[in-house]
């Protein structure tokens, strides 16, 4: 996957818009090396409209993503981080 930054925001937003309407979404992010604040905001916005009880589980996200979520969206119920 690489990076989510100014050059890839549109592709990231398009990819998130195509997520299936399953109960829970699991994203394996171990190959994501960097995501900026705006890329994280795109992720948050994509999950804000999830049905009640539905969540997005981020598996092995980069530390920067976890830090941005903790700083700007500390109690977001739709995103769960799995740092296995």
């Amino acid at each position: 996957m690489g990076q989510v930054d100014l050059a890839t925001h549109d592709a990231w937003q398009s990819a998130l818009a195509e997520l299936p309407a399953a109960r829970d979404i699991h994203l394996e992010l171990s190959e994501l090396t960097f995501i900026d604040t705006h890329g994280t905001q795109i992720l948050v916005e994509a999950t804000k409209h999830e049905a009640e009880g539905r969540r997005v589980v981020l598996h092995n996200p980069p530390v920067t993503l976890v830090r941005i979520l903790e700083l700007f969206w500390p109690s977001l119920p739709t995103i769960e981080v799995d740092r296995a």
Side-chain angles (χ1 to χ4, degrees), residues 2-5 29 31-41 43-44 58 60-73 81 83:
Q3 300 183 0
V4 176
D5 56 19
L29 299 176
E31 304 233 353
L32 182 64
T33 57
F34 174 79
I35 185 168
D36 62 10
T37 304
H38 185 65
T40 305
Q41 181 180 4
L43 173 65
V44 168
L58 308 177
N60 306 305
V63 174
T64 54
L65 175 54
V66 176
R67 286 185 182 155
I68 293 169
L69 285 171
E70 290 173 348
L71 183 62
F72 293 105
W73 298 278
V81 176
R83 295 186 243 180

Side-chain angles (χ1 to χ4, degrees), residues 8-83:
T8 59
H9 286 155
D10 290 339
W12 175 240
Q13 189 165 19
S14 294
L16 292 173
E18 294 178 17
L19 292 174
R23 174 115 171 102
D24 289 334
I25 301 294
H26 293 264
L27 299 176
E28 172 53 55
L29 299 176
S30 60
E31 304 233 353
L32 182 64
T33 57
F34 174 79
I35 185 168
D36 62 10
T37 304
H38 185 65
T40 305
Q41 181 180 4
I42 291 169
L43 173 65
V44 168
E45 290 297 321
T47 64
K48 277 189 175 180
H49 306 291
E50 298 300 333
E52 188 168 324
R54 184 175 169 198
R55 64 199 170 115
V56 176
V57 182
L58 308 177
H59 298 279
N60 306 305
V63 174
T64 54
L65 175 54
V66 176
R67 286 185 182 155
I68 293 169
L69 285 171
E70 290 173 348
L71 183 62
F72 293 105
W73 298 278
S75 59
L76 192 62
T78 53
I79 295 179
E80 179 180 319
V81 176
D82 175 21
R83 295 186 243 180

